[in-house]
């Protein structure tokens, strides 16, 4: 089945130690998103790629970076994780069309813990 | 600013009908979506309304009134497995920026 896969499901890192989360998709969608979701809160968009064009949200900390080497893969790099970065990180994809860009297909997420 | 408001919690019994409302204030509007999320799981797309009116998909229906900046999700014949969080989301400026509401926690009781 076509899907969005995130690895790993659970990631533990140390305070200040760089960490990379990965996302792959077999849907061949041209738009990919990274969201941060903290407990009992809404998913918060960090950035998205439209094809190779990177779009950063204004309030996304500089600590967060992303790479999309090809259509299928997208990475979230957290350069110096702080305790406040502990959250679920969700990758999503969509196929762009005028106005809608729905639905978004989400991966199962990576739960990041900071020691 | 941009914001979406939806109730934080709703409780209903099996077999009942429940309506989850969502009001929004955004710069630019392409459509209103609804997502379901079970504890520990990923959000799953339920519906999308770009135009005014009612969209029906099985037991779930979604309504949009753009003039009122308002929509709702209607769940019929509730089942225990419908216990989850439901998020309304708006596609704003440019169509790609999706803003999620804080979510409504639905509890279905036997």
């Amino acid at each position: 089945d076509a899907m969005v896969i995130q690895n790993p499901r659970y990631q533990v890192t140390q305070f200040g130690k760089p960490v990379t989360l990965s996302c792959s998709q077999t849907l061949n969608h041209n738009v990919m998103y990274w969201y941060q979701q903290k407990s009992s809160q809404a998913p918060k968009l960090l950035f998205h790629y439209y094809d190779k064009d990177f779009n950063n949200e204004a309030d996304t900390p500089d600590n967060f970076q992303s790479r999309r080497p090809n259509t299928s893969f997208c990475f979230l790099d957290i350069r110096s994780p702080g305790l406040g970065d502990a959250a679920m990180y969700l990758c999503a994809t969509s196929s762009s069309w005028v106005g809608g860009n729905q639905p978004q297909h989400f991966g199962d997420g990576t739960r990041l813990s900071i020691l | 600013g941009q914001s979406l408001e939806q109730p934080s919690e709703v409780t209903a019994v099996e077999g009942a009908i429940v309506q989850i409302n969502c009001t929004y204030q955004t710069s630019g509007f392409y459509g209103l979506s609804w997502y379901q999320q079970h504890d520990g799981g990923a959000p799953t797309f339920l519906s999308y309304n770009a135009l005014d009116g009612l969209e029906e998909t099985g037991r779930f229906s979604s309504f949009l009134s753009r003039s009122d900046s308002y929509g709702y999700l209607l769940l019929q014949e509730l089942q225990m497995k419908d216990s989850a969080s439901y998020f309304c989301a708006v596609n704003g400026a440019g169509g790609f920026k999706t803003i999620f509401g804080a979510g409504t926690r639905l509890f279905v009781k036997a």
Side-chain angles (χ1 to χ4, degrees):
Chain A
D1 286 341
M3 56 179 59
V4 181
I5 301 169
Q6 291 188 244
N7 284 306
R9 286 297 311 275
Y10 301 92
Q11 176 74 56
V12 181
T13 192
Q14 293 179 334
F15 182 94
K17 186 174 181 181
V19 65
T20 295
L21 310 181
S22 72
C23 177
S24 64
Q25 55 130 340
T26 59
L27 297 162
N28 203 33
H29 284 167
N30 58 339
V31 189
M32 293 187 78
Y33 309 79
W34 280 104
Y35 290 88
Q36 180 192 63
Q37 186 177 27
K38 297 189 175 179
S39 183
S40 301
Q41 295 184 21
K44 179 181 179 296
L45 182 64
L46 295 173
F47 21 63
H48 78 270
Y49 278 92
Y50 177 79
D51 292 327
K52 292 184 178 180
D53 291 336
F54 176 72
N55 296 271
N56 199 31
E57 293 302 305
D59 56 355
T60 298
D62 292 339
N63 201 23
F64 290 81
Q65 305 286 321
S66 185
R67 296 169 284 136
R68 189 180 185 186
N70 53 52
T71 301
S72 301
F73 287 88
C74 197
F75 300 97
L76 171 62
D77 300 308
I78 308 177
R79 291 190 297 186
S80 182
L83 296 178
D85 297 328
M88 176 75 85
Y89 289 89
L90 295 163
C91 173
T93 72
S94 68
S95 177
S96 65
W97 51 283
V98 176
N101 208 37
Q102 296 291 335
Q104 294 186 21
H105 299 261
F106 284 82
D108 287 335
T110 294
R111 184 166 293 283
L112 179 66
S113 300
I114 314 293
L115 298 180
Chain B
Q2 304 187 85
S3 65
L4 293 90
E5 289 192 14
Q6 53 182 128
S8 59
E9 253 183 48
V10 173
T11 300
V13 296
E14 262 188 308
I17 299 172
V18 71
Q19 178 174 314
I20 301 173
N21 298 321
C22 175
T23 58
Y24 59 87
Q25 202 172 22
T26 59
S27 56
F29 177 83
Y30 286 96
L32 183 71
S33 304
W34 289 92
Y35 285 81
Q36 179 192 61
Q37 187 176 31
H38 288 98
D39 284 347
T44 303
F45 174 80
L46 293 177
S47 68
Y48 174 70
N49 294 66
L51 303 175
D52 289 353
L54 190 68
E55 296 278 345
E56 297 180 71
T57 309
R59 295 188 297 115
F60 295 177
S61 303
S62 58
F63 172 83
L64 174 66
S65 168
R66 288 176 298 171
S67 60
D68 295 323
S69 298
Y70 163 77
Y72 66 73
L73 179 69
L74 191 72
L75 299 87
Q76 303 182 72
E77 301 173 18
L78 280 175
Q79 303 175 7
M80 298 295 287
K81 67 179 182 179
D82 297 329
S83 293
S85 292
Y86 292 84
F87 295 91
C88 59
V90 167
N91 273 41
F96 298 108
K97 183 178 176 67
T98 302
I99 301 168
F100 284 79
T104 297
R105 182 91 179 180
L106 173 64
F107 296 95
V108 179
K109 295 185 173 181

